[in-house]
Amino acid sequence: MDGPGMALPAGAGPLPHHDGSGLHAPVRAERGAEVRLRLRVPAVWGRAARVWLRSLHDGEPRYDPAASLGEADGWVWWEAATVPTNPVTRYRFLLEVPEESAGAKNRGGAGRLQYWSLNAQGLFSRDVSDYADFRLTTFRPAPEWLRRGTMYQVFPDRFARSAASDDLASARPTPDWAVPCSWDGTPVEGAGPHTPYQYYGGDLRGVTERLDHIQQLGADVIYLTPFFPARSNHRYDAATFRRVDLLLGGDEALIELVEAAHARGLRVMGDLTANHSGDAHEWFRRALADPASEEAGYYYFNADHTAYESWYGVPSLPKLNWASPGLRQKFVLDDDSPVARWLRPPFNLDGWRIDVGNMTGRLGATDLNQDVARLIADRVRAINPDAALLAEATNDAAPDFTGEHWHGAMTYSNFTRPLWSWLAGDAGHVNFFGTPLPGSNRTAAEDFLATHLDLSAAFSWDVRQQNMNALNSHDTARAATVMIDGGQRLGAVLMFTLPGVPVMFAGDEFGLEGDNGEYSRTPMPWNDPGRIRTDLRADYAALTALRREQPALTGGGVRWLHARGDVLAFVRETAHNAVLVVAARAGAGVELAPGSLSPAQLAALAGPPAYATAAVEVALSPADAAAVLIRTSGPAAAAWVLPGTRVPVPQP
């Protein structure tokens, strides 16, 4: 497998390749300014006679000829110029190849020409939709720290009780909604009447006291799920946006946490529900009590004010009506609005993750989603241009994520779901992302890649680098439950090495288990080593270090080399640095065909991998010295640091 996505028989050679990384495209583009885009064609595949860049301008396709830049390490490079007309320019490459070339073999009669289209989903000898075209955008870039960062998700009630929490219990008595639980003694109820009300007493000072732990794992972005007062342990049913829940330590505890994190070079992001409030929220209570109030317009009530719209019909989560000018003012534009207040001193959050961003502003025929996203983004960037803005989208997220407002998506469709299927174990029943299925199908590597490309192709390269890559989260089953024995380690390797921001959910480093999101919110086993299923702290620390130290993993392109059955292989690459990654879910061997790697890169494989979960054997192919064989005796994943990819120097 090579290029952006075309299934090949095992042992087949590389394909023409392009992605949005610096090897092939400018780091930034501006409307009206010329950009140059590069394609490379492996000589072992064939020799293109001509190449065109096909791009859309005001909806109309235009073809610009490409010029050959020469050849380097068996790849012929082509370059074409265009001038972006729109904020998002969709483009693909069209190749004209003689029939006798390898790429066009058996496609027609002798002497005929074959035409191929290359888009972000793969190489095609037929017309394809514009949907999967590459995308060049002219929007303001995301903050550098987000793309380079590693995220650590904290569910405050279950992360850590501060040293003073017992002494403070009298000052913050257990609320009437809560079911008090013992940290190490009360099992989490994954589904039942007490599920949203079990209260373990984790607080924000507990997070501050455990910053050493987070930093030792290599994480540098802390993502806190909601910290506002509510009537549940998850707090997505906010009763107010004006203060931090006293159960978590109040405003001062958040200030102390952010200050301590910033002193260590860490960032802290919050979690904001723009789709709904709680039914105990001060706005909703006024709205419910007085149909003539301004707040009544913040929600969707029926004509006689006896019923209202809510998230998924859950009455405790009344849906916000973004057609209301008053809501826009109160939620976003006012100085003390929830969007603005917590980004400013003394709180100084570094950004927001927006809950159910895909549903926000949408109800029936009403679709204000992009208007709301733009409103929030403009406000956030006016306050802090270096703040990050992510949004949850559990659907095919790409259409809502152009890069104009949300920097990236918290989405499971293009990475987590296909990874669960490829690494599926024998768990009897797990919640497969809200579907009625008892779990995921066990699929082959080629299905993982096809799904991954199908659901990531429509993201721009910039957005794709800022999407959250997670093995699991507070809303899903745990990877340790879903996957084969050792599968979490394999998945972590892919999470840290594919484009996107890797996300650890607190407890992943201890191999915690759970068959649904609620059961996965297990209190951390700080004082009970017997609850540690698998200690993965050293693995996560090694992978964060690898990603931090290798530029190819935070800015390099991705070129797939193999995806078949039990094995995935790809290379991340820049001009100065590359990383080869191979993952096998069972004992297997893979031959990387001639032309997949340069001679210098092949030579570097003689050394040990920079990281490996188990022993991996590397040998030159006895049939072809330019090919390499990689074997494992069982589940294993490894990463090798290689020299970068050479680009030919054009002759004057």
Side-chain angles (χ1 to χ4, degrees), residues 482-618:
V482 173
M483 296 178 179
I484 60 173
D485 289 345
Q488 186 181 342
R489 274 195 176 94
L490 306 184
V493 173
L494 298 177
M495 180 179 77
F496 277 95
T497 56
L498 282 170
V501 179
V503 182
M504 292 179 271
F505 175 37
D508 285 352
E509 66 270 39
F510 296 127
L512 297 188
E513 300 172 345
D515 60 8
N516 65 16
E518 287 75 14
Y519 184 41
S520 296
R521 302 168 189 175
T522 308
M524 292 285 277
W526 303 119
N527 303 311
D528 184 3
R531 292 202 294 113
I532 296 176
R533 296 293 182 257
T534 306
D535 192 340
L536 299 173
R537 284 175 287 185
D539 293 272
Y540 280 108
L543 287 166
T544 55
L546 177 70
R547 186 174 184 271
R548 183 172 57 250
E549 294 164 4
Q550 303 305 324
L553 295 180
T554 53
V558 60
R559 185 163 55 88
W560 288 92
L561 307 180
H562 185 92
R564 193 166 181 85
D566 293 329
V567 185
L568 292 165
F570 59 90
V571 63
R572 300 291 307 277
E573 50 191 351
T574 69
H576 306 291
N577 168 260
V579 176
L580 170 68
V581 179
V582 176
R585 68 183 181 186
V590 56
E591 178 177 319
L592 302 184
S596 298
L597 300 174
S598 70
Q601 290 170 337
L602 287 172
L605 287 177
Y611 173 84
T613 65
V616 178
E617 178 185 347
V618 179

Side-chain angles (χ1 to χ4, degrees), residues 215-280:
Q215 204 162 22
Q216 286 163 7
L217 293 172
D220 48 17
V221 181
I222 299 170
Y223 153 41
L224 299 171
T225 59
F227 48 70
F228 302 113
R231 294 186 60 80
S232 71
N233 51 40
H234 55 71
R235 295 185 171 85
Y236 284 99
D237 56 333
T240 182
F241 296 118
R242 291 177 172 272
R243 63 181 183 275
V244 174
D245 196 335
L246 289 176
L247 296 175
L248 298 178
D251 291 1
E252 285 302 316
L254 179 63
I255 294 168
E256 292 169 12
L257 170 57
V258 175
E259 287 180 349
H262 285 175
R264 295 168 176 255
L266 309 179
R267 309 275 181 161
V268 182
M269 295 183 65
D271 196 338
L272 189 59
T273 55
N275 177 71
H276 54 265
S277 73
D279 63 346

Side-chain angles (χ1 to χ4, degrees), residues 420-438:
W420 279 23
S421 292
W422 184 57
L423 293 174
D426 57 3
H429 187 284
V430 295
N431 186 326
F432 189 57
F433 302 96
T435 69
L437 306 176

Side-chain angles (χ1 to χ4, degrees), residues 145-289:
W145 61 263
L146 177 62
R147 176 170 59 83
R148 295 186 179 278
T150 294
M151 193 171 289
Y152 189 87
Q153 182 188 10
V154 171
F155 190 85
D157 184 59
R158 310 292 164 82
F159 183 69
R161 293 171 61 94
S162 62
S165 60
D166 290 335
D167 296 336
L168 294 172
S170 59
R172 48 187 195 200
T174 303
D176 59 0
W177 58 262
V179 177
C181 296
S182 165
W183 192 268
D184 292 307
T186 307
V188 169
E189 188 175 279
H194 293 160
T195 297
Y197 309 119
Q198 286 186 294
Y199 170 62
Y200 287 84
D203 56 21
L204 295 183
R205 287 191 174 93
V207 182
T208 304
E209 291 168 5
R210 297 286 180 173
L211 288 179
D212 281 347
H213 171 82
I214 295 172
Q215 204 162 22
Q216 286 163 7
L217 293 172
D220 48 17
V221 181
I222 299 170
Y223 153 41
L224 299 171
T225 59
F227 48 70
F228 302 113
R231 294 186 60 80
S232 71
N233 51 40
H234 55 71
R235 295 185 171 85
Y236 284 99
D237 56 333
T240 182
F241 296 118
R242 291 177 172 272
R243 63 181 183 275
V244 174
D245 196 335
L246 289 176
L247 296 175
L248 298 178
D251 291 1
E252 285 302 316
L254 179 63
I255 294 168
E256 292 169 12
L257 170 57
V258 175
E259 287 180 349
H262 285 175
R264 295 168 176 255
L266 309 179
R267 309 275 181 161
V268 182
M269 295 183 65
D271 196 338
L272 189 59
T273 55
N275 177 71
H276 54 265
S277 73
D279 63 346
H281 197 284
E282 55 207 3
W283 298 344
F284 184 72
R285 291 196 168 184
R286 282 196 290 272
L288 197 61

